[in-house]
């Protein structure tokens, strides 16, 4: 399993380095040493903790959908002209931007500060890895 340094683990979970160190001291994460002898944590264990700690608000729409990528957040900005609107949401640590018709934005009554859900259903999702090889 890959070992992840404390500073990287903290960045992935949005906490301080000291929090990761406390979690290794109290048993929430198992401490390891990386190849350089620095404190690290197991990547799989960190992934499980990240998933368990992720708490986004419940989707207020209560709509059944085949789309699994649903991000509930706050509308932070809307740029609108007569035809198109650019709507920005802050969904936890993620910024999601959608382009839609101005008519749709008005019908949804979107305003900065309102709650909305970004639904992503894509046939192509690109995943990159710094330790992987370039695919041809």
């Amino acid at each position: 399993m890959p070992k992840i340094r404390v500073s990287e683990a903290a960045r992935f979970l949005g906490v301080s380095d000291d929090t990761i160190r406390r979690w290794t001291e109290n048993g929430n994460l198992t401490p390891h040493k990386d190849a350089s002898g620095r404190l690290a944590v197991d990547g799989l264990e960190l992934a499980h903790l990240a998933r368990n700690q992720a708490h986004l608000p419940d989707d207020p729409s209560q709509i059944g959908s085949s789309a699994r990528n649903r991000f509930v957040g706050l509308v932070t900005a809307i740029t609108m002209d007569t035809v198109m609107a650019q709507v920005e949401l802050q969904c936890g640590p993620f910024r999601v931007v959608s382009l839609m018709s101005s008519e749709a934005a008005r019908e949804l009554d979107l305003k900065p500060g309102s709650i909305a859900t970004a639904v992503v259903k894509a046939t192509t999702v690109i995943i990159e890895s710094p330790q992987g090889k370039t695919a041809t």
Side-chain angles (χ1 to χ4, degrees), residues 112-123:
S114 61
I115 297 170
T117 304
V119 180
V120 180
K121 180 90 173 181
T123 57

Side-chain angles (χ1 to χ4, degrees), residues 79-85 100-104 106:
T79 305
M80 190 180 313
D81 63 19
T82 57
V83 178
M84 294 299 295
M100 65 183 72
S101 69
S102 294
E103 177 183 15
R106 284 189 296 274

Side-chain angles (χ1 to χ4, degrees), residues 10-117:
R11 186 169 44 94
F12 289 131
L13 294 184
V15 298
S16 70
D17 295 10
D18 288 337
T19 297
I20 298 294
R21 287 187 188 91
R22 276 193 302 277
W23 287 347
T24 62
E25 291 167 5
N26 69 19
N28 288 343
L29 287 170
T30 306
H32 297 276
K33 296 287 182 183
D34 68 6
S36 301
R38 293 175 290 205
L39 181 62
V41 294
D42 178 81
L44 181 59
E45 189 178 8
L46 185 67
H48 288 298
L49 181 63
R51 182 178 234 175
N52 291 336
Q53 298 253 334
H55 297 289
L56 285 177
D58 290 332
D59 186 345
S61 68
Q62 302 298 313
I63 295 173
S65 175
S66 65
R68 296 293 175 246
N69 302 308
R70 302 175 69 82
F71 303 95
V72 178
L74 293 170
V75 176
T76 56
I78 298 175
T79 305
M80 190 180 313
D81 63 19
T82 57
V83 178
M84 294 299 295
Q86 176 180 304
V87 179
E88 297 182 33
L89 277 75
Q90 192 66 39
C91 304
F94 304 104
R95 176 178 170 252
V96 180
V97 179
S98 177
L99 298 176
M100 65 183 72
S101 69
S102 294
E103 177 183 15
R106 284 189 296 274
E107 286 177 0
L108 291 171
D109 196 26
L110 296 175
K111 296 177 179 74
S114 61
I115 297 170
T117 304

